[in-house]
Amino acid sequence: MMPTSAPTHTAERPDYPKNYIPYPLRSQVTQVNPHLDVFWQDYLYNLFSNISAQDRRNIAEQILAPNQIFWNSEIKKFEFRGEINVPLENIVASIPANARHIRIFAEKILIHFQTFKTYNSVYQIADFLENILGQIEQLDAKNNLEYQLIKQKLYSGFIYAAARVIREKKDLEIPENRRGLNASIVKTFINEVFLKQQLLGYWFKTMRNRQVAQMSHPLLSQFLCREQKIRQLEIVRASKYLFVIGPAIESDVNPFALRRFLREESLFSNEHVLLTGAAVNTAMLVNADATYLARFKLQVENIITIESTINQAVIEFLTELELAHETELLPLLFDPIELSGMQIDKLIKERLQQYEHILIKQILEPIEFAVRRVARNADEQEYLYIGVRQLFGNILSTFKDFLSQPALLLNENAEHLFSRLVAYATFLEKRREFIFVCFQNNYQWDANHDLLQQPLHYLNQIIQANIRENDYLDTQIHELEEQLERKASFMEKMFKSNDRIHIKLEELRKQSRKIARQIHQDIFELSARFPVDVVDLAFDSLLILGENERHYAFAAGRNGVTRLPMIVSIPENPLAFHLGDFNTFLQNKMEENQVYDELADIS
């Protein structure tokens, strides 16, 4: 039997179906990863010991079993029965010959990886991991989707191989520090914070303020909750520890980087120390003495943040956005769906439409108002950006959980909305300096909006410049094909008319393919021509929606803020690209999103 301690709460809701998993529970389990997590078995055991029998069954059946995690009643432990990750050597060996430049680089990684296994110094480990992951990210995929898939496979394979090495290390050299960091804490941070965040990207899960407020110990539910709200602290629930991390002010700095977490800076003759993060063993809080609690509080207070200059109105605004997400958007995703005779696809589509409408009215449009009316200086714009970025990290991770529910698997409408959410978050990063700045007047905001329209205008122009000739060629091709389908007369056979038609038909098809190929290539180069104003989902956000299609996002709404982007897809193979069909698709998309009319809505 699974752990059966009496639950500390009664979370079951009789008006919900028996197979329903409350989101607070679901969110604690969906990112458990036996390949990365150091103490995942203990974590699950403790969680299961404090929830109802029905919740245990639901989590075991719906979340753990599909991920090959099962309870072993003989040894009284959870165990992973899935395949061990493919060795890094096998991943490198599988790289095809046509991706020679990736293969050569990957073989160099293998050589250095053997040396990495001998490292015990945590700083050497940090330098190696951050350096290699950065170099893999910078590998040129040559705007080739196959190469990008190979690159991503190498990236994730390297992360899993490195995590296995870290987990098995016996002697980890931790420099002298003021926080009491030990091998257990650092191993957990490397695998469950740094490497997991590198693997998951946008949907890496952090704890939001309302989740922290619900924790049992007052040090967390009161002190830490207050500090997080004011200072925008990132809080990560790992398998044994709670990590508190200061936000990164610089746009190119990863707040979850390993070397950054290790850093300590002493001031005033070592009497005061500046930190970027702290850790606490949540199990020890139950019986912790006042000294232990005070030390953790001091560490959190010493984390570097920028909140001292921020107007309370900006802080409260971000709190309201979080509240809108928690109270209005989350229920739409995770409250049970009552079928009441209606098809589930239709119900899900309606929920998704409601979700987008509320997102626009309660979050996206208010963001524009805050940027233009609430934030008064550069520090407040910076604070606002960090808060919005953290909020969208939460939105993406919760929507990812939503997609994992059985009723949502392979649902095209849900996956399409997720891709638009990912594109929006990517645009926020790309266009940060065009949005989160103090404008002297409306002119600059409007000018930035105009710049944002250029990629779609350009795409539409090159299509309209060729569509008439393309349509003429299509008509000619169709007429000749019809002629070939008719039975040839004696005279036509005698003068070999069909042979001439075949020759003419091939000439027209070549002309048509030439036009389509050129437009196809122009679309492929859009993100290079407009690096800030177009998102190539496969290359900019690492979201590959299919191996045979490319997906490009164009920002929508006022200055790209008040609406989710529109997604345009084209086949990877230019021979499968039909200009006429694509033109119809694009015109319909542009009409739906009202991209050209948004400027008139600016107030």
Side-chain angles (χ1 to χ4, degrees):
M1 293 177 65
M2 288 183 281
T4 56
S5 301
T8 58
H9 69 286
T10 54
E12 289 185 294
R13 298 169 66 174
D15 56 325
Y16 282 172
K18 284 188 175 181
N19 64 354
Y20 173 69
I21 302 174
Y23 181 71
L25 278 180
R26 180 180 290 275
S27 68
Q28 294 182 54
V29 185
T30 50
Q31 290 190 359
V32 169
N33 188 330
H35 297 297
L36 292 176
D37 298 354
V38 181
F39 303 104
W40 67 272
Q41 292 163 304
D42 296 337
Y43 173 80
L44 285 177
Y45 186 94
N46 292 332
L47 178 68
F48 270 51
S49 296
N50 291 286
I51 61 177
S52 68
Q54 186 63 53
D55 286 333
R56 287 196 291 268
R57 281 192 295 272
N58 290 340
I59 291 173
E61 292 171 4
Q62 296 177 38
I63 300 176
L64 299 185
N67 289 295
Q68 298 301 305
I69 298 173
F70 300 92
W71 173 252
N72 187 323
S73 58
E74 293 183 6
I75 61 174
K76 291 182 169 46
K77 275 188 175 182
F78 286 94
E79 61 183 13
F80 176 67
R81 298 176 188 170
E83 293 183 9
I84 297 173
N85 284 314
V86 178
L88 188 59
E89 292 82 358
N90 292 14
I91 292 174
V92 173
S94 69
I95 298 174
N98 64 332
R100 184 171 178 272
H101 67 296
I102 301 178
R103 175 73 176 260
I104 290 172
F105 178 78
E107 288 173 346
K108 292 178 181 177
I109 291 178
L110 275 183
I111 295 171
H112 294 296
F113 197 80
Q114 300 309 311
T115 307
F116 163 67
K117 292 179 180 179
T118 68
Y119 292 158
N120 289 318
S121 164
V122 69
Y123 281 115
Q124 283 185 309
I125 290 169
D127 289 343
F128 177 80
L129 293 177
E130 292 181 8
N131 174 34
I132 298 301
L133 286 170
Q135 289 198 50
I136 296 175
E137 282 185 331
Q138 295 302 315
L139 268 176
D140 186 6
K142 302 183 184 300
N143 202 17
N144 182 302
L145 190 57
E146 180 190 1
Y147 291 172
Q148 182 68 2
L149 286 164
I150 294 167
K151 178 177 156 181
Q152 286 192 18
K153 187 177 179 181
L154 175 63
Y155 189 81
S156 60
F158 174 82
I159 286 175
Y160 283 128
R164 189 160 53 248
V165 171
I166 296 299
R167 201 167 50 244
E168 295 171 357
K169 274 198 177 296
K170 304 299 182 186
D171 301 309
L172 200 60
E173 297 172 6
I174 311 296
E176 187 176 338
N177 62 88
R178 303 278 286 274
R179 289 171 286 176
L181 299 180
N182 55 37
S184 176
I185 294 173
V186 173
K187 276 186 178 184
T188 304
F189 183 89
I190 293 173
N191 279 20
E192 299 183 39
V193 180
F194 172 58
L195 289 178
K196 188 178 282 191
Q197 189 274 332
Q198 292 287 300
L199 182 70
L200 298 178
Y202 285 118
W203 35 97
F204 175 66
K205 199 182 296 295
T206 59
M207 294 186 70
R208 305 318 305 151
N209 203 238
R210 284 168 63 84
Q211 293 172 298
V212 179
Q214 293 168 358
M215 301 194 79
S216 58
H217 198 285
L219 178 69
L220 307 178
S221 62
Q222 297 174 23
F223 166 74
L224 188 56
C225 181
R226 182 177 63 253
E227 291 292 304
Q228 184 194 37
K229 176 181 176 180
I230 297 171
R231 303 172 62 202
Q232 299 184 303
L233 300 171
E234 297 277 20
I235 299 176
V236 180
R237 191 203 317 258
S239 59
K240 189 174 183 178
Y241 303 95
L242 205 67
F243 291 97
V244 184
I245 301 161
I249 309 304
E250 305 85 354
S251 60
D252 59 343
V253 172
N254 176 10
F256 305 103
L258 175 54
R259 182 170 269 278
R260 180 178 186 267
F261 175 74
L262 296 171
R263 191 172 70 230
E264 294 183 356
E265 294 182 18
S266 298
L267 297 177
F268 312 120
S269 302
N270 290 328
E271 292 180 7
H272 187 69
V273 62
L274 297 180
L275 305 173
T276 57
V280 63
N281 185 332
T282 51
M284 289 182 63
L285 288 177
V286 178
N287 300 311
D289 58 23
T291 303
Y292 184 85
L293 301 180
R295 185 175 66 180
F296 175 68
K297 286 180 69 174
L298 181 61
Q299 290 176 14
V300 172
E301 289 166 352
N302 287 344
I303 293 174
I304 306 167
T305 54
I306 63 169
E307 84 291 342
S308 60
T309 61
I310 305 304
N311 187 327
Q312 187 65 24
V314 180
I315 297 173
E316 291 303 323
F317 169 77
L318 289 171
T319 301
E320 290 173 9
L321 290 191
E322 290 275 3
L323 186 63
H325 178 245
E326 297 281 344
T327 60
E328 299 197 45
L329 291 176
L330 275 183
L332 279 174
L333 298 183
F334 295 103
D335 278 0
I337 298 174
E338 299 293 341
L339 293 178
S340 63
M342 192 181 294
Q343 287 187 341
I344 191 164
D345 284 351
K346 187 174 180 181
L347 281 169
I348 290 171
K349 185 175 181 180
E350 287 181 358
R351 280 223 182 165
L352 294 173
Q353 289 170 343
Q354 283 182 274
Y355 181 94
E356 183 174 357
H357 176 75
I358 294 172
L359 179 76
I360 289 170
K361 295 302 178 185
Q362 298 295 327
I363 293 180
L364 304 191
E365 290 181 351
I367 288 173
E368 181 203 19
F369 177 80
V371 167
R372 302 180 70 181
R373 303 283 186 266
V374 180
R376 306 166 306 175
N377 53 51
D379 282 348
E380 290 183 358
Q381 291 286 0
E382 187 74 41
Y383 188 91
L384 187 60
Y385 168 74
I386 291 170
V388 171
R389 183 187 66 194
Q390 290 177 343
L391 172 64
F392 260 85
N394 190 29
I395 287 172
L396 290 172
S397 67
T398 54
F399 205 94
K400 189 74 170 175
D401 287 345
F402 171 67
L403 291 177
S404 70
Q405 296 179 98
L408 273 298
L409 296 177
L410 303 178
N411 185 285
E412 291 184 3
N413 290 320
E415 289 180 352
H416 181 68
L417 182 54
F418 180 65
S419 69
R420 295 172 68 206
L421 290 168
V422 171
Y424 187 92
T426 309
F427 271 124
L428 286 180
E429 290 190 9
K430 279 192 166 197
R431 303 191 65 251
R432 178 181 182 178
E433 63 186 83
F434 298 96
I435 299 171
F436 295 92
V437 292
C438 291
F439 297 97
Q440 297 291 333
N441 50 52
N442 286 338
Y443 170 77
Q444 189 57 53
W445 178 271
D446 295 350
N448 289 349
H449 175 91
D450 287 342
L451 286 173
L452 193 56
Q453 311 310 309
Q454 289 185 2
L456 206 51
H457 282 303
Y458 170 79
L459 177 58
N460 196 40
Q461 284 175 354
I462 60 175
I463 289 174
Q464 298 314 313
N466 291 277
I467 194 65
R468 183 173 296 178
E469 182 180 358
N470 181 80
D471 288 347
Y472 172 77
L473 291 171
D474 280 352
T475 301
Q476 294 295 304
I477 290 169
H478 181 68
E479 289 177 356
L480 291 179
E481 287 173 340
E482 283 188 334
Q483 287 185 40
L484 289 175
E485 288 176 3
R486 293 198 305 266
K487 188 175 181 181
S489 66
F490 173 78
M491 293 298 292
E492 287 173 331
K493 290 178 180 179
M494 181 175 165
F495 290 103
K496 298 183 178 180
S497 297
N498 278 5
D499 291 349
R500 292 196 297 274
I501 292 174
H502 276 294
I503 293 171
K504 180 62 176 176
L505 187 59
E506 187 55 33
E507 289 176 356
L508 292 173
R509 284 173 175 165
K510 282 183 180 179
Q511 292 177 48
S512 180
R513 284 196 297 267
K514 182 179 179 181
I515 293 172
R517 184 182 290 275
Q518 183 57 56
I519 300 296
H520 186 272
Q521 185 61 34
D522 289 339
I523 297 172
F524 264 33
E525 294 173 358
L526 272 175
S527 57
R529 181 182 287 270
F530 302 101
V532 176
D533 300 323
V534 172
V535 167
D536 183 334
L537 284 170
F539 288 80
D540 291 328
S541 70
L542 305 182
L543 179 65
I544 296 180
L545 300 173
E547 296 185 12
N548 300 314
E549 279 191 332
R550 286 286 188 92
H551 296 81
Y552 298 90
F554 298 87
R558 296 187 288 275
N559 200 15
V561 175
T562 59
R563 296 291 184 274
L564 293 179
M566 60 175 278
I567 306 291
V568 170
S569 61
I570 64 169
E572 175 76 6
N573 185 350
L575 294 178
F577 176 69
H578 188 275
L579 182 56
D581 292 344
F582 180 76
N583 178 56
T584 301
F585 168 81
L586 182 64
Q587 300 309 316
N588 290 338
K589 278 285 186 181
M590 288 167 57
E591 186 175 342
E592 286 174 16
N593 287 274
Q594 299 178 345
V595 176
Y596 295 107
D597 297 329
E598 285 289 341
L599 192 56
D601 294 334
I602 294 178
S603 55

